[in-house]
Amino acid sequence: MSAVEGESDGHQCLDIAKDCDTAKLLSEPVTVTIGATVPTGFEHTAAEEVKEKIGADARISKDRGRIYFEITTENLPRVHHLKSVDNLFVVVQEYTNYQFKDTKEETLEDFQKLASKLPWTNPLEVWKQNNSLKKKRWRRRGGNAARAKASTGSSKDGVDAVTTETENLQLESGTPGGGSGEPGGLPARDSDTLGELGDKDVDEQEEEGTDRLLKFRVTCNRAGDKHSFTSNEAARDFGGAVQDHFLWKPDMTKFDIEVLLNIHNSEVVIGIALTEESLHRRNITHFGPTTLRSTLAYGMLRLCKPQVSDVIIDPMCGSGAIPLEGAIEWQHSFYMAGDNNDMAVSRTVNNISHIQKKRQDKGSTAWGLPIDTLQWDLCSLPMRTGSVDIIITDMPFGKRMGSRKKNWDLYPSCLKEMARVCRPGSGKAVLLTQDKKCFAKAVSQMGGLWRKAHTVWVNIGGLHAGVYLLKRTGATYGMTPEDIREPREANETAGETKEHA
């Protein structure tokens, strides 16, 4: 672990300490398995972060984009401070080689029987504790004050209601096979039916002041071409069995708890979601057309291992996702975010201002983020030769922004200018692009200045892209054939860089 990463851990200690009072809400600590979805291709990076920050050994799933690790419930607050994970869930049961039946009917019948056999107790306790943790964070930010006042006439009463809300939810299972007022219970048959069942009974319970019935939905994520059933069919039948077992109310939109049924070939994992929305949106409030996910930005930054006093630039910053993530996590480096588009620069400034305001609202006395923003020409950067330690950016794919034809001229030109400002022998570049053929050609043309060290293959909105780690050779800029040869139409393409994240 680098010195900067150690400082990053220290930066998180304050937030973690604030969450430690959650321990009062926890019962005797139990060990559970946590699952996390991560940017595809960065599973090993996420596993390294889990080991570094939680001390747990993460296991990478056969299904790309997922890792699993064990924790005790007292470490639950730390899990939410991981920066490389998109979504979190607690594992109820995992089958590494599930034996599917030969016919669809038999397989779906097995799913119906499965719900009552699963060890729900500890995962539901973790879900309950996780809810308590989220409620405390909302109250600390004052996010529920207005809502509480509107509903109760007293902000204090509203806070008390929030505190006891999770405790009043009906987590206990009902009588197996029914108990809902209909013979054999109310098995779910499709999504619409799941959303309509039991509304009247629940409303009557709430009016009478009894314990509120838990609302739930089942989400099935399936991969593999040898299954005899669809994702909707699996979610429907398994969801109906969950409803019969717990007597919960199905609701596809305003649910309290989301049960996950993840199927990848013969691997089946049942879990309970701990995040309501992906954590990758954490730093961005002003989005551009191709804003990069914060979790992917974090993975790219870890590839280049920022050190204390490093000068790091993103020459096509778009919304500023990469330099913002770096300035927050590796705050002893200095970041410059630039773009040729004035709207992109404006979005970056607004996102930086939003983070600084959040810090001030939390009582931080820090002067600000180690980041500066400016508008520039990518192929003529206003920086001295050999003055930058790391260049990290999301390059135009030529799909939503730019074009494949322009990339053939743009890529060699920007690689040449990046080589000029990057320190010979020690400088690095981490570049993301889906235009692999064009990028490979550009790197070969700049062979005297750059050496490709490593490639991580990622999935960006269904596109197969590469994150390339390049290392600057020791050659002095201006002394290689690459410096002399002027890429075709370089001056024309310099102003055509994409407005970009």
Side-chain angles (χ1 to χ4, degrees), residues 279-323:
L279 302 176
H280 77 267
R281 295 173 175 267
R282 56 180 172 262
N283 296 328
I284 305 299
T285 53
H286 295 74
F287 290 85
T290 57
T291 298
L292 196 68
R293 301 163 74 95
S294 295
T295 47
L296 182 54
Y298 179 85
M300 293 173 66
L301 282 156
R302 280 191 73 104
L303 272 183
C304 57
K305 297 180 172 58
Q307 303 295 313
V308 174
S309 77
D310 275 355
V311 175
I312 303 173
I313 69 168
D314 182 350
M316 294 178 276
C317 67
S319 302
I322 294 174

mmCIF file of all heavy atoms in Angstrom, residues 279-323:
data_model
loop_
_atom_site.group_PDB
_atom_site.id
_atom_site.type_symbol
_atom_site.label_atom_id
_atom_site.label_comp_id
_atom_site.label_asym_id
_atom_site.label_seq_id
_atom_site.Cartn_x
_atom_site.Cartn_y
_atom_site.Cartn_z
ATOM 1 N N LEU A 279 -23.644 2.800 -6.284
ATOM 2 C CA LEU A 279 -22.752 3.737 -5.606
ATOM 3 C C LEU A 279 -21.882 4.528 -6.581
ATOM 4 O O LEU A 279 -21.126 5.393 -6.166
ATOM 5 C CB LEU A 279 -21.855 2.962 -4.628
ATOM 6 C CG LEU A 279 -22.579 2.147 -3.550
ATOM 7 C CD1 LEU A 279 -21.580 1.355 -2.722
ATOM 8 C CD2 LEU A 279 -23.417 3.044 -2.661
ATOM 9 N N HIS A 280 -21.976 4.227 -7.881
ATOM 10 C CA HIS A 280 -21.074 4.876 -8.834
ATOM 11 C C HIS A 280 -21.431 6.337 -9.100
ATOM 12 O O HIS A 280 -20.647 7.066 -9.701
ATOM 13 C CB HIS A 280 -21.061 4.112 -10.163
ATOM 14 C CG HIS A 280 -22.266 4.337 -11.032
ATOM 15 N ND1 HIS A 280 -23.371 3.513 -10.993
ATOM 16 C CD2 HIS A 280 -22.548 5.297 -11.951
ATOM 17 C CE1 HIS A 280 -24.271 3.939 -11.868
ATOM 18 N NE2 HIS A 280 -23.797 5.019 -12.453
ATOM 19 N N ARG A 281 -22.573 6.812 -8.610
ATOM 20 C CA ARG A 281 -22.981 8.196 -8.838
ATOM 21 C C ARG A 281 -22.560 9.130 -7.704
ATOM 22 O O ARG A 281 -23.019 10.259 -7.631
ATOM 23 C CB ARG A 281 -24.503 8.273 -8.991
ATOM 24 C CG ARG A 281 -25.044 7.549 -10.205
ATOM 25 C CD ARG A 281 -26.566 7.525 -10.193
ATOM 26 N NE ARG A 281 -27.096 6.938 -11.416
ATOM 27 C CZ ARG A 281 -27.446 7.630 -12.492
ATOM 28 N NH1 ARG A 281 -27.321 8.945 -12.496
ATOM 29 N NH2 ARG A 281 -27.926 7.034 -13.553
ATOM 30 N N ARG A 282 -21.673 8.675 -6.842
ATOM 31 C CA ARG A 282 -21.459 9.364 -5.570
ATOM 32 C C ARG A 282 -20.924 10.788 -5.689
ATOM 33 O O ARG A 282 -21.219 11.615 -4.835
ATOM 34 C CB ARG A 282 -20.507 8.544 -4.696
ATOM 35 C CG ARG A 282 -19.167 8.223 -5.339
ATOM 36 C CD ARG A 282 -18.269 7.413 -4.427
ATOM 37 N NE ARG A 282 -17.087 6.950 -5.109
ATOM 38 C CZ ARG A 282 -16.952 5.741 -5.628
ATOM 39 N NH1 ARG A 282 -17.934 4.872 -5.524
ATOM 40 N NH2 ARG A 282 -15.833 5.400 -6.235
ATOM 41 N N ASN A 283 -20.136 11.106 -6.691
ATOM 42 C CA ASN A 283 -19.488 12.428 -6.741
ATOM 43 C C ASN A 283 -20.066 13.367 -7.786
ATOM 44 O O ASN A 283 -19.692 14.539 -7.819
ATOM 45 C CB ASN A 283 -17.989 12.267 -7.020
ATOM 46 C CG ASN A 283 -17.268 11.528 -5.917
ATOM 47 O OD1 ASN A 283 -17.638 11.629 -4.751
ATOM 48 N ND2 ASN A 283 -16.257 10.761 -6.265
ATOM 49 N N ILE A 284 -20.937 12.874 -8.655
ATOM 50 C CA ILE A 284 -21.365 13.651 -9.810
ATOM 51 C C ILE A 284 -22.818 14.093 -9.654
ATOM 52 O O ILE A 284 -23.701 13.283 -9.391
ATOM 53 C CB ILE A 284 -21.209 12.826 -11.112
ATOM 54 C CG1 ILE A 284 -19.773 12.313 -11.241
ATOM 55 C CG2 ILE A 284 -21.578 13.665 -12.326
ATOM 56 C CD1 ILE A 284 -18.727 13.390 -11.322
ATOM 57 N N THR A 285 -23.040 15.391 -9.825
ATOM 58 C CA THR A 285 -24.402 15.935 -9.841
ATOM 59 C C THR A 285 -24.731 16.557 -11.193
ATOM 60 O O THR A 285 -25.897 16.668 -11.551
ATOM 61 C CB THR A 285 -24.573 16.996 -8.746
ATOM 62 O OG1 THR A 285 -23.535 17.986 -8.882
ATOM 63 C CG2 THR A 285 -24.496 16.370 -7.363
ATOM 64 N N HIS A 286 -23.717 16.960 -11.942
ATOM 65 C CA HIS A 286 -23.910 17.542 -13.272
ATOM 66 C C HIS A 286 -23.328 16.568 -14.299
ATOM 67 O O HIS A 286 -22.109 16.467 -14.454
ATOM 68 C CB HIS A 286 -23.229 18.910 -13.376
ATOM 69 C CG HIS A 286 -23.816 19.955 -12.473
ATOM 70 N ND1 HIS A 286 -23.609 19.954 -11.108
ATOM 71 C CD2 HIS A 286 -24.639 21.011 -12.735
ATOM 72 C CE1 HIS A 286 -24.252 20.977 -10.567
ATOM 73 N NE2 HIS A 286 -24.879 21.631 -11.527
ATOM 74 N N PHE A 287 -24.217 15.838 -14.971
ATOM 75 C CA PHE A 287 -23.804 14.770 -15.870
ATOM 76 C C PHE A 287 -23.704 15.259 -17.303
ATOM 77 O O PHE A 287 -24.491 16.101 -17.756
ATOM 78 C CB PHE A 287 -24.801 13.604 -15.811
ATOM 79 C CG PHE A 287 -24.765 12.835 -14.516
ATOM 80 C CD1 PHE A 287 -25.493 13.264 -13.420
ATOM 81 C CD2 PHE A 287 -23.995 11.691 -14.396
ATOM 82 C CE1 PHE A 287 -25.465 12.567 -12.224
ATOM 83 C CE2 PHE A 287 -23.951 10.987 -13.208
ATOM 84 C CZ PHE A 287 -24.690 11.422 -12.122
ATOM 85 N N GLY A 288 -22.736 14.687 -18.030
ATOM 86 C CA GLY A 288 -22.602 14.931 -19.449
ATOM 87 C C GLY A 288 -23.110 13.746 -20.248
ATOM 88 O O GLY A 288 -23.603 12.765 -19.691
ATOM 89 N N PRO A 289 -22.980 13.777 -21.571
ATOM 90 C CA PRO A 289 -23.498 12.703 -22.410
ATOM 91 C C PRO A 289 -22.786 11.368 -22.184
ATOM 92 O O PRO A 289 -23.365 10.309 -22.398
ATOM 93 C CB PRO A 289 -23.258 13.196 -23.839
ATOM 94 C CG PRO A 289 -22.833 14.604 -23.743
ATOM 95 C CD PRO A 289 -22.390 14.875 -22.355
ATOM 96 N N THR A 290 -21.536 11.398 -21.757
ATOM 97 C CA THR A 290 -20.768 10.154 -21.579
ATOM 98 C C THR A 290 -20.023 10.160 -20.248
ATOM 99 O O THR A 290 -18.860 9.759 -20.176
ATOM 100 C CB THR A 290 -19.755 9.973 -22.735
ATOM 101 O OG1 THR A 290 -18.896 11.115 -22.787
ATOM 102 C CG2 THR A 290 -20.461 9.811 -24.067
ATOM 103 N N THR A 291 -20.688 10.616 -19.200
ATOM 104 C CA THR A 291 -20.037 10.703 -17.894
ATOM 105 C C THR A 291 -19.584 9.334 -17.412
ATOM 106 O O THR A 291 -20.349 8.366 -17.430
ATOM 107 C CB THR A 291 -20.993 11.323 -16.859
ATOM 108 O OG1 THR A 291 -21.308 12.655 -17.271
ATOM 109 C CG2 THR A 291 -20.352 11.357 -15.479
ATOM 110 N N LEU A 292 -18.342 9.259 -16.963
ATOM 111 C CA LEU A 292 -17.754 7.997 -16.518
ATOM 112 C C LEU A 292 -18.233 7.654 -15.117
ATOM 113 O O LEU A 292 -18.405 8.528 -14.264
ATOM 114 C CB LEU A 292 -16.224 8.117 -16.531
ATOM 115 C CG LEU A 292 -15.421 6.818 -16.461
ATOM 116 C CD1 LEU A 292 -15.594 6.006 -17.733
ATOM 117 C CD2 LEU A 292 -13.944 7.142 -16.258
ATOM 118 N N ARG A 293 -18.448 6.371 -14.862
ATOM 119 C CA ARG A 293 -18.841 5.912 -13.540
ATOM 120 C C ARG A 293 -17.700 6.162 -12.551
ATOM 121 O O ARG A 293 -16.536 5.905 -12.847
ATOM 122 C CB ARG A 293 -19.167 4.416 -13.573
ATOM 123 C CG ARG A 293 -20.269 4.040 -14.528
ATOM 124 C CD ARG A 293 -20.264 2.545 -14.809
ATOM 125 N NE ARG A 293 -20.765 1.795 -13.674
ATOM 126 C CZ ARG A 293 -22.022 1.407 -13.532
ATOM 127 N NH1 ARG A 293 -22.907 1.713 -14.459
ATOM 128 N NH2 ARG A 293 -22.405 0.715 -12.478
ATOM 129 N N SER A 294 -18.050 6.631 -11.351
ATOM 130 C CA SER A 294 -17.031 6.913 -10.341
ATOM 131 C C SER A 294 -16.279 5.653 -9.935
ATOM 132 O O SER A 294 -15.086 5.706 -9.630
ATOM 133 C CB SER A 294 -17.674 7.554 -9.104
ATOM 134 O OG SER A 294 -18.206 8.820 -9.415
ATOM 135 N N THR A 295 -16.965 4.498 -9.939
ATOM 136 C CA THR A 295 -16.300 3.241 -9.579
ATOM 137 C C THR A 295 -15.261 2.850 -10.623
ATOM 138 O O THR A 295 -14.194 2.337 -10.290
ATOM 139 C CB THR A 295 -17.332 2.120 -9.429
ATOM 140 O OG1 THR A 295 -18.228 2.136 -10.556
ATOM 141 C CG2 THR A 295 -18.150 2.307 -8.174
ATOM 142 N N LEU A 296 -15.558 3.090 -11.891
ATOM 143 C CA LEU A 296 -14.595 2.796 -12.953
ATOM 144 C C LEU A 296 -13.430 3.780 -12.898
ATOM 145 O O LEU A 296 -12.267 3.402 -13.096
ATOM 146 C CB LEU A 296 -15.282 2.856 -14.314
ATOM 147 C CG LEU A 296 -14.435 2.523 -15.541
ATOM 148 C CD1 LEU A 296 -13.754 1.172 -15.388
ATOM 149 C CD2 LEU A 296 -15.287 2.540 -16.804
ATOM 150 N N ALA A 297 -13.720 5.042 -12.595
ATOM 151 C CA ALA A 297 -12.660 6.043 -12.436
ATOM 152 C C ALA A 297 -11.711 5.639 -11.313
ATOM 153 O O ALA A 297 -10.486 5.773 -11.438
ATOM 154 C CB ALA A 297 -13.266 7.415 -12.155
ATOM 155 N N TYR A 298 -12.274 5.131 -10.212
ATOM 156 C CA TYR A 298 -11.446 4.683 -9.094
ATOM 157 C C TYR A 298 -10.544 3.528 -9.524
ATOM 158 O O TYR A 298 -9.353 3.499 -9.183
ATOM 159 C CB TYR A 298 -12.338 4.255 -7.934
ATOM 160 C CG TYR A 298 -11.579 3.748 -6.727
ATOM 161 C CD1 TYR A 298 -11.091 4.630 -5.774
ATOM 162 C CD2 TYR A 298 -11.344 2.383 -6.542
ATOM 163 C CE1 TYR A 298 -10.390 4.179 -4.663
ATOM 164 C CE2 TYR A 298 -10.647 1.922 -5.437
ATOM 165 C CZ TYR A 298 -10.177 2.817 -4.503
ATOM 166 O OH TYR A 298 -9.473 2.361 -3.414
ATOM 167 N N GLY A 299 -11.089 2.573 -10.270
ATOM 168 C CA GLY A 299 -10.279 1.450 -10.739
ATOM 169 C C GLY A 299 -9.142 1.894 -11.639
ATOM 170 O O GLY A 299 -8.018 1.381 -11.545
ATOM 171 N N MET A 300 -9.408 2.856 -12.515
ATOM 172 C CA MET A 300 -8.363 3.372 -13.401
ATOM 173 C C MET A 300 -7.263 4.065 -12.598
ATOM 174 O O MET A 300 -6.071 3.924 -12.894
ATOM 175 C CB MET A 300 -8.978 4.329 -14.424
ATOM 176 C CG MET A 300 -9.911 3.652 -15.424
ATOM 177 S SD MET A 300 -10.789 4.824 -16.497
ATOM 178 C CE MET A 300 -9.433 5.529 -17.440
ATOM 179 N N LEU A 301 -7.660 4.805 -11.575
ATOM 180 C CA LEU A 301 -6.669 5.495 -10.746
ATOM 181 C C LEU A 301 -5.797 4.507 -9.979
ATOM 182 O O LEU A 301 -4.584 4.707 -9.850
ATOM 183 C CB LEU A 301 -7.376 6.439 -9.770
ATOM 184 C CG LEU A 301 -7.864 7.759 -10.385
ATOM 185 C CD1 LEU A 301 -9.011 8.348 -9.594
ATOM 186 C CD2 LEU A 301 -6.707 8.757 -10.474
ATOM 187 N N ARG A 302 -6.394 3.434 -9.485
ATOM 188 C CA ARG A 302 -5.596 2.433 -8.758
ATOM 189 C C ARG A 302 -4.575 1.754 -9.664
ATOM 190 O O ARG A 302 -3.520 1.318 -9.199
ATOM 191 C CB ARG A 302 -6.505 1.388 -8.124
ATOM 192 C CG ARG A 302 -7.158 1.825 -6.824
ATOM 193 C CD ARG A 302 -7.830 0.664 -6.127
ATOM 194 N NE ARG A 302 -6.867 -0.254 -5.527
ATOM 195 C CZ ARG A 302 -6.611 -0.318 -4.224
ATOM 196 N NH1 ARG A 302 -7.220 0.511 -3.377
ATOM 197 N NH2 ARG A 302 -5.743 -1.191 -3.750
ATOM 198 N N LEU A 303 -4.881 1.665 -10.957
ATOM 199 C CA LEU A 303 -3.928 1.060 -11.895
ATOM 200 C C LEU A 303 -2.626 1.845 -11.956
ATOM 201 O O LEU A 303 -1.548 1.263 -12.104
ATOM 202 C CB LEU A 303 -4.538 1.001 -13.301
ATOM 203 C CG LEU A 303 -5.378 -0.210 -13.688
ATOM 204 C CD1 LEU A 303 -5.810 -0.092 -15.143
ATOM 205 C CD2 LEU A 303 -4.604 -1.508 -13.475
ATOM 206 N N CYS A 304 -2.712 3.177 -11.838
ATOM 207 C CA CYS A 304 -1.504 3.999 -11.980
ATOM 208 C C CYS A 304 -0.861 4.335 -10.639
ATOM 209 O O CYS A 304 0.178 4.984 -10.602
ATOM 210 C CB CYS A 304 -1.805 5.274 -12.767
ATOM 211 S SG CYS A 304 -3.093 6.304 -12.071
ATOM 212 N N LYS A 305 -1.480 3.901 -9.524
ATOM 213 C CA LYS A 305 -0.879 4.041 -8.188
ATOM 214 C C LYS A 305 -0.335 5.454 -7.930
ATOM 215 O O LYS A 305 0.877 5.676 -7.853
ATOM 216 C CB LYS A 305 0.233 3.009 -7.990
ATOM 217 C CG LYS A 305 -0.258 1.565 -8.035
ATOM 218 C CD LYS A 305 0.891 0.603 -7.844
ATOM 219 C CE LYS A 305 0.410 -0.831 -7.688
ATOM 220 N NZ LYS A 305 -0.399 -1.308 -8.840
ATOM 221 N N PRO A 306 -1.210 6.453 -7.760
ATOM 222 C CA PRO A 306 -0.734 7.824 -7.500
ATOM 223 C C PRO A 306 0.116 7.903 -6.235
ATOM 224 O O PRO A 306 -0.158 7.240 -5.235
ATOM 225 C CB PRO A 306 -2.036 8.613 -7.325
ATOM 226 C CG PRO A 306 -3.072 7.806 -8.030
ATOM 227 C CD PRO A 306 -2.676 6.383 -7.834
ATOM 228 N N GLN A 307 1.142 8.715 -6.295
ATOM 229 C CA GLN A 307 2.051 8.918 -5.174
ATOM 230 C C GLN A 307 1.968 10.366 -4.693
ATOM 231 O O GLN A 307 1.437 11.244 -5.382
ATOM 232 C CB GLN A 307 3.499 8.591 -5.580
ATOM 233 C CG GLN A 307 3.698 7.176 -6.109
ATOM 234 C CD GLN A 307 3.439 6.128 -5.050
ATOM 235 O OE1 GLN A 307 3.919 6.234 -3.927
ATOM 236 N NE2 GLN A 307 2.668 5.096 -5.401
ATOM 237 N N VAL A 308 2.508 10.603 -3.499
ATOM 238 C CA VAL A 308 2.518 11.954 -2.936
ATOM 239 C C VAL A 308 3.233 12.912 -3.884
ATOM 240 O O VAL A 308 4.308 12.592 -4.403
ATOM 241 C CB VAL A 308 3.209 11.954 -1.557
ATOM 242 C CG1 VAL A 308 3.354 13.370 -1.025
ATOM 243 C CG2 VAL A 308 2.418 11.083 -0.569
ATOM 244 N N SER A 309 2.623 14.049 -4.135
ATOM 245 C CA SER A 309 3.130 15.153 -4.963
ATOM 246 C C SER A 309 3.071 14.890 -6.461
ATOM 247 O O SER A 309 3.538 15.706 -7.252
ATOM 248 C CB SER A 309 4.569 15.540 -4.576
ATOM 249 O OG SER A 309 5.512 14.613 -5.092
ATOM 250 N N ASP A 310 2.466 13.769 -6.894
ATOM 251 C CA ASP A 310 2.315 13.523 -8.330
ATOM 252 C C ASP A 310 1.432 14.585 -8.965
ATOM 253 O O ASP A 310 0.424 15.013 -8.379
ATOM 254 C CB ASP A 310 1.688 12.151 -8.580
ATOM 255 C CG ASP A 310 2.716 11.029 -8.594
ATOM 256 O OD1 ASP A 310 3.924 11.337 -8.507
ATOM 257 O OD2 ASP A 310 2.309 9.849 -8.685
ATOM 258 N N VAL A 311 1.795 15.005 -10.165
ATOM 259 C CA VAL A 311 0.952 15.883 -10.976
ATOM 260 C C VAL A 311 0.184 15.002 -11.947
ATOM 261 O O VAL A 311 0.775 14.286 -12.762
ATOM 262 C CB VAL A 311 1.784 16.927 -11.737
ATOM 263 C CG1 VAL A 311 0.885 17.753 -12.660
ATOM 264 C CG2 VAL A 311 2.517 17.836 -10.770
ATOM 265 N N ILE A 312 -1.138 15.019 -11.849
ATOM 266 C CA ILE A 312 -1.997 14.127 -12.629
ATOM 267 C C ILE A 312 -2.975 14.971 -13.433
ATOM 268 O O ILE A 312 -3.638 15.867 -12.890
ATOM 269 C CB ILE A 312 -2.770 13.172 -11.689
ATOM 270 C CG1 ILE A 312 -1.780 12.374 -10.834
ATOM 271 C CG2 ILE A 312 -3.679 12.240 -12.480
ATOM 272 C CD1 ILE A 312 -2.439 11.526 -9.760
ATOM 273 N N ILE A 313 -3.083 14.691 -14.727
ATOM 274 C CA ILE A 313 -3.994 15.466 -15.570
ATOM 275 C C ILE A 313 -4.982 14.544 -16.278
ATOM 276 O O ILE A 313 -4.674 13.397 -16.592
ATOM 277 C CB ILE A 313 -3.241 16.330 -16.605
ATOM 278 C CG1 ILE A 313 -2.577 15.452 -17.682
ATOM 279 C CG2 ILE A 313 -2.223 17.223 -15.941
ATOM 280 C CD1 ILE A 313 -2.066 16.254 -18.878
ATOM 281 N N ASP A 314 -6.172 15.071 -16.497
ATOM 282 C CA ASP A 314 -7.166 14.449 -17.368
ATOM 283 C C ASP A 314 -7.425 15.438 -18.484
ATOM 284 O O ASP A 314 -8.145 16.427 -18.300
ATOM 285 C CB ASP A 314 -8.455 14.148 -16.595
ATOM 286 C CG ASP A 314 -9.501 13.455 -17.464
ATOM 287 O OD1 ASP A 314 -9.312 13.372 -18.694
ATOM 288 O OD2 ASP A 314 -10.529 12.999 -16.907
ATOM 289 N N PRO A 315 -6.845 15.232 -19.672
ATOM 290 C CA PRO A 315 -6.946 16.227 -20.741
ATOM 291 C C PRO A 315 -8.301 16.255 -21.439
ATOM 292 O O PRO A 315 -8.572 17.166 -22.209
ATOM 293 C CB PRO A 315 -5.840 15.803 -21.712
ATOM 294 C CG PRO A 315 -5.676 14.343 -21.485
ATOM 295 C CD PRO A 315 -5.963 14.109 -20.037
ATOM 296 N N MET A 316 -9.165 15.243 -21.194
ATOM 297 C CA MET A 316 -10.526 15.217 -21.746
ATOM 298 C C MET A 316 -11.481 14.901 -20.596
ATOM 299 O O MET A 316 -12.080 13.839 -20.545
ATOM 300 C CB MET A 316 -10.626 14.182 -22.859
ATOM 301 C CG MET A 316 -9.786 14.517 -24.079
ATOM 302 S SD MET A 316 -9.841 13.262 -25.384
ATOM 303 C CE MET A 316 -8.582 12.114 -24.803
ATOM 304 N N CYS A 317 -11.626 15.826 -19.663
ATOM 305 C CA CYS A 317 -12.241 15.529 -18.368
ATOM 306 C C CYS A 317 -13.761 15.434 -18.409
ATOM 307 O O CYS A 317 -14.359 14.798 -17.545
ATOM 308 C CB CYS A 317 -11.821 16.580 -17.343
ATOM 309 S SG CYS A 317 -12.489 18.232 -17.680
ATOM 310 N N GLY A 318 -14.433 16.064 -19.380
ATOM 311 C CA GLY A 318 -15.884 15.993 -19.458
ATOM 312 C C GLY A 318 -16.536 16.542 -18.206
ATOM 313 O O GLY A 318 -16.541 17.738 -17.948
ATOM 314 N N SER A 319 -17.086 15.639 -17.359
ATOM 315 C CA SER A 319 -17.739 16.055 -16.113
ATOM 316 C C SER A 319 -16.796 16.026 -14.920
ATOM 317 O O SER A 319 -17.203 16.319 -13.800
ATOM 318 C CB SER A 319 -18.946 15.155 -15.834
ATOM 319 O OG SER A 319 -19.857 15.196 -16.900
ATOM 320 N N GLY A 320 -15.555 15.614 -15.131
ATOM 321 C CA GLY A 320 -14.557 15.631 -14.058
ATOM 322 C C GLY A 320 -14.584 14.426 -13.149
ATOM 323 O O GLY A 320 -14.051 14.487 -12.031
ATOM 324 N N ALA A 321 -15.162 13.304 -13.609
ATOM 325 C CA ALA A 321 -15.296 12.126 -12.736
ATOM 326 C C ALA A 321 -13.940 11.603 -12.267
ATOM 327 O O ALA A 321 -13.774 11.267 -11.091
ATOM 328 C CB ALA A 321 -16.063 11.022 -13.469
ATOM 329 N N ILE A 322 -12.952 11.525 -13.165
ATOM 330 C CA ILE A 322 -11.648 10.947 -12.809
ATOM 331 C C ILE A 322 -10.875 11.855 -11.850
ATOM 332 O O ILE A 322 -10.454 11.410 -10.775
ATOM 333 C CB ILE A 322 -10.830 10.630 -14.073
ATOM 334 C CG1 ILE A 322 -11.509 9.509 -14.871
ATOM 335 C CG2 ILE A 322 -9.396 10.242 -13.711
ATOM 336 C CD1 ILE A 322 -10.850 9.221 -16.217
ATOM 337 N N PRO A 323 -10.636 13.130 -12.193
ATOM 338 C CA PRO A 323 -9.883 13.980 -11.245
ATOM 339 C C PRO A 323 -10.601 14.180 -9.917
ATOM 340 O O PRO A 323 -9.952 14.294 -8.875
ATOM 341 C CB PRO A 323 -9.706 15.302 -12.005
ATOM 342 C CG PRO A 323 -10.695 15.267 -13.110
ATOM 343 C CD PRO A 323 -10.916 13.844 -13.452
#
